[in-house]
Amino acid sequence: MSSAPSALTALRRPRLLITEVLAGAVTTLALIPEVISFSIIAGVDPKVSLIASVVLAISMSILGGRPAMITAAAGAVALVVAPLVREHGVEYLLPTVVLAGLVQIAFGLGGLARLMRFIPRSVMLGFVNALGILIFIAQVPHVVDVPWVVYPLFALTIAIVVGLPRLTKAVPAPLVAIIIVTAIAMIGHLDVPTVGDQGDVAGGLPGITPLLVPLNVETLQLIWPTALSVAFVGLMETLLTAKLVDDITETKSHKGRESWALGVANIVAGLWGGIAGCAMIGQTVVNVKLGRARTRISTFVAGALLLALVTVLSDVMEQIPMVALAAVMMVVAITTVNVHSIRPSTLRRMPLSETLVMVVTVAIVVATSNLAIGVGCGVLLAIVLFARRVAHVVTVTRDAGDTVRYRVSGPLFFGSSNDLVEQFSYADDIAHEVVIDLSAAQIWDASTVSALDSVQAKYREHGITVTFSGLDERSTQFHGRLTGTLG
């Protein structure tokens, strides 16, 4: 993969700069309804979430390791903090967010972001497909049980978003659709649900968030479970989204930098806003797919424009029909789903275990509305199925002669070596020298060393000495360090 184009490159090329600015504008409009929904779920004032989103978007556009990925107050974090706010009050959010940010900084600086390489493709496909489903489901309430005039506006929005790119890609079709539909609604004085109906979004800038709880052991005991959940849910969604953007743009990102930057951004957002966030997956897809953004300029513009809408243009923002935003996000949802992965021809060729992991990931994400839980369960299932599959690839063959030679082939670990002791003919090998050839095998854990010690012990009971041969240097050192010490 190549590196993403820099912001300096965009500033030197007017056409690219315009693309970035327009992409940031349409992303801002896509942010608003979800951020307001976040505040409702989390039990905080909508203005708090909007200002925190401004801080997150601008901070990550400067510090983050994945250009063009939008970060704001997200629903996944809302689900985590909601019980804390409901049971103990909103004043505990600040220390929770700061602690979560510190954990994320430690995660990034410790290089733990590299663990993302262990997420299988089947889990990633499940993540992407579940994301598309969740985005689509979240928009349904905006087009059900609404005035009839909403439906022509919905159809017009879809027609513009789908049709305009066939005529020109100079401006993002979603931005054009939202402007036109908003103008029609305002000029025609149409009675349709608007952004203003979702919550109060007007108001000035807040000051520094006051600390209203004591910093003591009791507070730490109360907040640390929620803080860890916020940290790891935010990291998982952010790093998965970064990987998705890497694939879409065919460029690489710095996952470690993205991790610690998220921690810094969350601390700043907590101090000036009061709430945490993470990567906004749907809005990021809007930015990089529909808006064709590739640099930090788009996410900076998104944060700056959201700030302008909250502080200066709130009257305009309140007039945007929800149906326009819902229609845009429905198109995003459909384009997000990896259609190739669910085609019957693809499913027939894929191993059953891979399909099962994808389906389970999708099912859990949709059932819980929590991407992190679904991905975690998908990874665990993939590990179990992989271990089960690999456990059966180890073979032991016997070649009898003056010297009985056993040849062991395959990776030896707890799953494959547990029944290794049963693969040898101890009684039949009496009066023979026994050599166990491990040149086609590798020792990966203490379970295997223990199994080989048991094999030696059983032969010793029959008065036979066993020689191990062919081990590579790493396996030899590993075996030599543990053999005879495991009891």
Side-chain angles (χ1 to χ4, degrees), residues 52 55-67 69 71-72 97-98 100-111 113 231 234-235 238-239 242 253-270 276-279 296:
V55 175
L56 287 164
I58 293 177
S59 299
M60 291 301 288
S61 70
I62 299 170
L63 300 175
R66 174 62 264 179
M69 185 170 74
T71 302
V97 170
V98 172
L102 293 173
V103 171
Q104 290 170 336
I105 292 172
F107 188 95
L109 295 179
L235 282 168
T238 296
L239 295 176
S253 59
H254 194 308
K255 306 297 191 303
R257 176 177 173 178
E258 186 68 27
S259 300
W260 66 254
L262 179 64
V264 173
N266 274 328
I267 291 174
V268 176
C278 62
R296 302 174 187 276

Side-chain angles (χ1 to χ4, degrees), residues 73-409:
V77 176
L79 291 171
V80 174
V81 302
L84 177 72
V85 174
R86 186 168 55 250
E87 296 173 16
H88 302 286
V90 72
E91 59 270 17
Y92 282 94
L93 268 181
L94 175 58
T96 301
V97 170
V98 172
L99 180 57
L102 293 173
V103 171
Q104 290 170 336
I105 292 172
F107 188 95
L109 295 179
L112 297 178
R114 289 191 294 269
L115 294 174
M116 288 299 297
R117 71 181 68 178
F118 297 111
I119 295 183
R121 180 177 180 274
S122 53
V123 175
M124 193 66 192
L125 287 174
F127 166 79
V128 171
N129 293 339
L131 166 64
I133 294 171
L134 287 181
I135 293 174
F136 192 93
I137 291 174
Q139 313 313 313
V140 171
H142 300 302
V143 295
V144 174
D145 294 329
V146 291
W148 69 268
V149 73
V150 165
Y151 297 105
L153 296 178
F154 177 81
L156 176 60
T157 305
I158 295 292
I160 295 173
V161 172
V162 175
L164 184 61
R166 299 180 182 180
L167 301 177
T168 179
K169 294 184 178 179
V171 292
L175 181 61
V176 174
I178 292 169
I179 291 173
I180 291 176
V181 170
T182 302
I184 292 173
M186 293 177 67
I187 294 171
H189 300 288
L190 302 181
D191 184 18
V192 296
T194 64
V195 169
D197 297 329
Q198 306 300 304
D200 181 19
V201 296
L205 294 175
I208 298 297
T209 307
L211 179 63
L212 301 176
V213 296
L215 290 179
N216 53 31
V217 175
E218 287 75 14
T219 298
L220 180 61
Q221 290 175 336
L222 182 66
I223 67 171
W224 77 261
T226 302
L228 289 181
S229 296
V230 169
F232 289 114
V233 166
L235 282 168
M236 185 175 292
E237 294 226 13
T238 296
L239 295 176
L240 284 171
T241 306
K243 190 174 188 308
L244 177 63
V245 177
D246 291 350
D247 293 340
I248 292 173
T249 62
E250 297 183 347
T251 57
K252 59 185 178 181
S253 59
H254 194 308
K255 306 297 191 303
R257 176 177 173 178
E258 186 68 27
S259 300
W260 66 254
L262 179 64
V264 173
N266 274 328
I267 291 174
V268 176
L271 295 173
W272 196 53
I275 198 69
C278 62
M280 301 283 278
I281 307 169
Q283 287 67 23
T284 296
V285 173
V286 170
N287 198 37
V288 299
K289 266 195 171 182
L290 300 186
R292 295 177 292 118
R294 295 294 183 270
T295 75
R296 302 174 187 276
I297 292 175
S298 61
T299 50
F300 184 88
V301 168
L305 182 55
L306 182 59
L307 177 62
L309 288 172
V310 172
T311 57
V312 181
L313 303 173
S314 57
D315 291 340
V316 176
M317 179 170 62
E318 290 176 344
Q319 299 300 315
I320 299 173
M322 286 302 300
V323 65
L325 301 175
V328 168
M329 293 308 295
M330 282 183 169
V331 173
V332 170
I334 293 171
T335 58
T336 298
V337 172
N338 189 311
V339 178
H340 178 74
S341 69
I342 57 176
R343 286 176 180 165
S345 58
T346 303
L347 294 176
R348 282 195 298 269
R349 288 195 298 268
M350 290 291 291
L352 180 60
S353 59
E354 301 276 332
T355 302
L356 179 62
V357 168
M358 181 182 72
V359 171
V360 167
T361 302
V362 171
I364 294 177
V365 169
V366 173
T368 63
S369 296
N370 191 313
L371 290 161
I373 292 176
V375 169
C377 292
V379 170
L380 289 176
L381 179 60
I383 290 172
V384 171
L385 293 176
F386 174 77
R388 181 176 180 274
R389 189 164 61 246
V390 173
H392 298 289
V393 302
V394 172
T395 60
V396 179
T397 58
R398 181 176 184 270
D399 183 15
D402 291 337
T403 299
V404 176
R405 179 175 291 272
Y406 288 92
R407 181 175 177 81
V408 181
S409 302

